[in-house]
Amino acid sequence: MKLGSPFRPRLLSALLISIFLGSAPATPAQERGELRIATSYKLMTLDPQYANLNENTSLLSHIYERLVYQDENLELKPGLATSWRPLSDTQWEFKLRDKVRFHDGSAFDADDVVYTIERIRDFLKPPSGGFRSYVSGIKSVSAPDPLTVLIETDGAVPNLPLFFSSIFVMNRPSEGFETTEDLNAGHPPNGTGPYRFESWSSGESLRLARNDDYWGGKPAWSKVTFRVIENPAARVAALSTGEVDVADAIPARDVASLKERGARVASVGAARVNFVQFDVARDTLPGVTDKSGEPIANPFKNPLVRRALTLATDRGILVDKILAGYGTAAAQVFPNGLPGTSAKLLPEAPNYDEAKMLLAKAGFPDGFNLVLAGPAGRYPGDAESLQAVAQSWARIGVNAQPAAAPFSVFNTKRAAGDYGVWYGGTSGEAVDIILHSLLASPDPERGTGALNFGKYRNEAFDAMLARAESIAVGPERNAALAQATELVMADQPIIPLYHFHHIVGYGSRIGSYVLHPRGWTTAMQTLPAME
């Protein structure tokens, strides 16, 4: 099992900051034509504030920018905001970068930030909640001058700058709010980023052109084309034959063969978790039956069953065999050692005998049948992980039928309640962000539980998480988050499986590719080879 540090050494910090704040400025010798990227990310919308999914935040970061940037150590750095400070427990001041222009030539100023916050908080109503949880605590926002934003919150929000590291700033229109439908129907995306929008074919490609007037310096590539290739083998083939210059989400099993063909590979541990999630709310579940095929009462309501399945899950096989060592076994939402994680939570080896005893105690001595759903081609080793988990559970009498589907299909069916238990994954800026969305009780008004599709509720955990989130960033907050994590993980609403490593391959036209633990795939991370 590969247990190395998931982060790059700090010597890359300066390069990463220059890259992710915009684009590493190109020298004449470095300038190149079109950069071709094969990506697993299928851009779902041109609305940068609609869906909080990595495929949207990654690809749209070429066009739009954030007030605050999160570096490779997940520390905050200036973006469109040059500084920020609390004026009181409920007031924040953000100072903005001067002489920044949107792609249509209009000047960026504080009114655009006010519009961005109000659009997310008051106008958008995406099914998953989108980015609303980040701004739901904002009572008012104002612009006392063009380069100053004042924000008043309903209560103490010590993590407010971190929230802005996920929100893209949009240009205020002459009146009203732009709709998602209008943006998707042809209104050209208008951001401040290093690349301008040229065209988008949903599920197929995104084409970008260099923003020669970018405030952060002239980008290295004159054109960028993203080809959506959801099949991992097809992405590997496209890189091997030279059809593309970069391919993301490379399966670990293909690393050796790619290197033999002359490609280079970069990898970094992911600030994310992949897991099994249970529906614990409904009385009966689709695909969950007794051994004769008859429906049964929802077994996942019983914490003994959830614990039994956890003990019957072999994470070592997932990491060592399926991920070929490019991953770390998980026991919580972030890899151990990151702020807010618990040193007490460590991955357990499988214990099938104890798991069988727990199932029997829960009233299932012979086990039961279920359908284990998950996406295919979205995460490294996702379909294979379904098979491996199913094989492990079979050892305690739980017959799991793997059901892998393209992510768009899987996501739609999961939201519709077609599954009783499923494999998924999520990433976030910090431990509390994931806890807030994945495990906190669903509450649209508070913006919690946006990814809690299993409808798990734990009032004690909610209270501990709320207390942790009220503490200023630092050791006390981290300790409180660790305690909240220990409490909720003891109840097993999910089974953390692994923190995979992001793997990207690149060809001879690329001089270097710098990875970020959030898993973004961008042209800004890609520097041309020197000739």
Side-chain angles (χ1 to χ4, degrees):
M1 188 178 298
K2 195 168 184 176
L3 298 175
S5 170
F7 299 109
R8 293 283 187 181
R10 286 184 177 270
L11 60 88
L12 289 177
S13 295
L15 176 59
L16 275 162
I17 291 169
S18 69
I19 288 173
F20 283 101
L21 284 183
S23 178
T27 66
Q30 285 180 303
E31 291 184 18
R32 295 293 183 273
E34 182 182 16
L35 173 66
R36 304 159 302 166
I37 300 177
T39 182
S40 60
Y41 289 144
K42 182 178 180 181
L43 184 62
M44 295 184 173
T45 176
L46 290 178
D47 186 338
Q49 298 168 353
Y50 183 79
N52 190 7
L53 296 170
N54 234 22
E55 49 264 62
N56 294 326
T57 57
S58 178
L59 299 182
L60 292 178
S61 67
H62 296 78
I63 302 168
Y64 296 96
E65 295 182 289
R66 307 168 176 91
L67 290 179
V68 181
Y69 162 68
Q70 201 174 26
D71 73 7
E72 88 285 6
N73 296 305
L74 305 187
E75 295 177 357
L76 299 181
K77 303 295 180 182
L80 288 176
T82 57
S83 65
W84 50 90
R85 64 186 178 118
L87 302 179
S88 69
D89 286 345
T90 58
Q91 288 186 318
W92 283 85
E93 177 190 80
F94 286 77
K95 291 293 186 179
L96 306 183
R97 194 174 297 278
D98 195 9
K99 299 179 181 178
V100 175
R101 293 197 170 273
F102 287 93
H103 296 162
D104 67 356
S106 60
F108 159 72
D109 62 24
D111 280 341
D112 301 305
V113 179
V114 173
Y115 169 78
T116 289
I117 293 171
E118 292 179 343
R119 182 175 187 265
I120 296 171
R121 186 192 62 187
D122 305 330
F123 178 69
L124 289 180
K125 306 293 181 185
S128 67
F131 296 89
R132 193 178 183 191
S133 63
Y134 297 130
V135 298
S136 59
I138 294 177
K139 182 178 180 180
S140 65
V141 55
S142 60
D145 65 62
L147 296 178
T148 303
V149 176
L150 291 180
I151 294 174
E152 183 176 355
T153 59
D154 288 322
V157 186
N159 229 18
L160 188 66
L162 176 65
F163 293 164
F164 285 118
S165 71
S166 286
I167 294 173
F168 289 124
V169 175
M170 293 181 67
N171 183 223
R172 178 188 284 276
S174 57
E175 60 181 28
F177 293 102
E178 285 189 281
T179 68
T180 300
E181 292 74 19
D182 285 342
L183 287 167
N184 289 337
H187 284 203
N190 184 29
T192 60
Y195 290 92
R196 301 171 182 266
F197 174 82
E198 280 204 336
S199 66
W200 170 53
S201 179
S202 180
E204 295 182 9
S205 65
L206 173 68
R207 298 183 185 278
L208 306 165
R210 179 167 55 201
N211 176 13
D212 288 325
D213 299 322
Y214 180 56
W215 64 267
K218 189 176 181 180
W221 305 95
S222 61
K223 299 280 187 181
V224 179
T225 297
F226 283 91
R227 288 178 51 193
V228 179
I229 304 179
E230 295 186 86
N231 183 278
R235 286 195 303 278
V236 170
L239 178 61
S240 298
T241 60
E243 294 176 41
V244 299
D245 304 303
V246 176
D248 67 15
I250 297 295
R253 63 176 179 269
D254 292 318
V255 168
S257 63
L258 273 176
K259 289 181 176 179
E260 290 174 359
R261 299 173 198 171
R264 285 172 290 173
V265 172
S267 70
V268 68
R272 63 172 305 118
V273 65
N274 284 69
F275 53 85
V276 170
Q277 189 172 35
F278 304 103
D279 185 323
V280 299
R282 289 181 287 176
D283 293 331
T284 59
L285 298 173
V288 180
T289 70
D290 62 18
K291 289 300 183 70
S292 66
E294 294 298 318
I296 58 174
N298 181 354
F300 308 130
K301 288 188 173 186
N302 191 328
L304 293 178
V305 173
R306 303 197 297 267
R307 177 62 180 158
L309 292 172
T310 299
L311 286 172
T313 301
D314 190 340
R315 297 173 176 87
I317 288 178
L318 301 177
V319 171
D320 294 335
K321 302 299 183 182
I322 294 174
L323 298 179
Y326 284 91
T328 306
Q332 53 192 313
V333 297
F334 262 13
N336 284 19
L338 287 178
T341 58
S342 170
K344 297 179 182 178
L345 293 175
L346 300 173
E348 297 177 276
N351 188 330
Y352 300 108
D353 291 336
E354 184 177 349
K356 288 179 181 178
M357 287 189 292
L358 289 175
L359 271 189
K361 188 175 180 179
F364 300 96
D366 299 321
F368 51 89
N369 299 335
L370 60 84
V371 173
L372 178 60
R378 178 169 176 81
Y379 309 113
D382 48 15
E384 297 93 334
S385 292
L386 289 181
Q387 296 284 346
V389 171
Q391 290 170 11
S392 290
W393 289 358
R395 296 184 62 170
I396 63 170
V398 175
N399 295 329
Q401 177 186 345
F407 179 72
S408 57
V409 175
F410 163 78
N411 197 38
T412 299
K413 289 189 173 184
R414 179 179 58 180
D418 290 354
Y419 304 133
V421 55
W422 55 89
Y423 162 100
T426 189
S427 63
E429 304 86 343
V431 162
D432 52 306
I433 300 295
I434 295 184
L435 296 176
H436 191 89
S437 62
L438 184 64
L439 297 173
S441 299
D443 186 337
E445 293 302 315
R446 291 179 56 233
T448 58
L451 300 179
N452 185 354
F453 297 106
K455 301 298 186 289
Y456 172 75
R457 295 182 180 274
N458 185 327
E459 292 183 1
F461 167 68
D462 290 341
M464 290 183 72
L465 179 60
R467 176 186 172 276
E469 292 180 321
S470 71
I471 302 171
V473 173
E476 184 182 355
R477 180 189 182 94
N478 293 338
L481 288 171
Q483 291 171 1
T485 301
E486 291 163 11
L487 175 77
V488 74
M489 284 298 126
D491 205 23
Q492 303 287 180
I494 64 170
I495 304 176
L497 297 177
Y498 52 75
H499 313 287
F500 67 72
H501 294 182
H502 298 296
I503 307 175
V504 168
Y506 55 97
S508 60
R509 295 182 67 235
I510 308 303
S512 65
Y513 188 94
V514 182
L515 276 162
H516 191 280
R518 292 289 302 280
W520 298 314
T521 302
T522 74
M524 294 82 79
Q525 296 161 259
T526 310
L527 299 181
M530 300 292 290
E531 291 183 353

